[in-house]
């Protein structure tokens, strides 16, 4: 009886406490993976934007700061490509094609968030 008073009731040492402990460990691992993923995504975004900004600035393109804006960075990427092709003798409009394609891909997401009510 003294052991029962010292350790608490015998109900806490059964299936429930082990299950909750395991669930807690899984949730902590998931949160850790989420935090690491977010940090990695931010680092990769900064690296990509800085690289694209540097390319646009070295080529003398107007508005190289657009590389830091998510959808506008696609336009900057197309502008860099068009500049490379123009110097090679080809006249291309990849900046507009990439921008239109990016908008068309994300349009359903914006429509869904705007018009669908839960």
């Amino acid at each position: 009886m003294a052991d029962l008073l010292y350790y608490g009731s015998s109900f806490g040492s059964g299936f429930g406490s082990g299950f909750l402990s395991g669930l807690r460990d899984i949730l902590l691992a998931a949160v850790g993976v989420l935090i690491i993923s977010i940090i990695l995504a931010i680092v990769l975004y900064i690296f990509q934007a800085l690289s694209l900004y540097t390319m646009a600035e070295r080529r003398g393109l107007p508005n190289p700061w657009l590389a830091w804006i998510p959808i506008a960075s696609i336009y900057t990427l197309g502008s860099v490509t068009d500049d490379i092709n123009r110097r090679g003798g080809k006249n291309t409009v990849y900046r507009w094609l990439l921008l239109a394609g990016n908008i068309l891909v994300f349009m359903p997401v914006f429509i869904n968030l705007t018009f669908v009510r839960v």
Side-chain angles (χ1 to χ4, degrees):
M1 184 70 167
D3 290 336
L4 188 59
L5 292 175
Y6 182 72
Y7 292 111
S9 71
S10 62
F11 295 113
S13 62
F15 174 74
S17 64
F19 175 74
L20 292 178
S21 174
L23 184 60
R24 184 195 66 211
D25 293 342
I26 290 172
L27 288 175
L28 285 175
V31 168
V33 168
L34 181 66
I35 290 172
I36 290 171
S37 298
I38 289 172
I39 291 171
L40 184 62
I42 291 170
V43 168
L44 290 175
Y45 175 77
I46 290 172
F47 180 71
Q48 178 263 337
L50 185 62
S51 301
L52 190 55
Y53 175 82
T54 303
M55 285 188 282
E57 193 175 49
R58 286 183 181 175
R59 292 203 163 268
L61 298 177
N63 303 323
W65 54 268
L66 287 174
W68 294 96
I69 302 172
I71 293 179
S73 67
I74 297 298
Y75 177 82
T76 305
L77 179 64
S79 295
V80 169
T81 306
D82 288 343
D83 187 57
I84 292 170
N85 287 336
R86 187 173 32 258
R87 292 181 187 195
K90 292 188 245 177
N91 191 13
T92 58
V93 289
Y94 288 129
R95 72 189 107 183
W96 297 111
L97 290 174
L98 289 173
L99 183 62
N102 200 12
I103 289 172
L104 288 175
V105 165
F106 288 108
M107 186 67 70
V109 174
F110 294 133
I111 290 173
N112 191 21
L113 291 176
T114 304
F115 296 112
V116 176
R117 302 284 185 234
V118 178

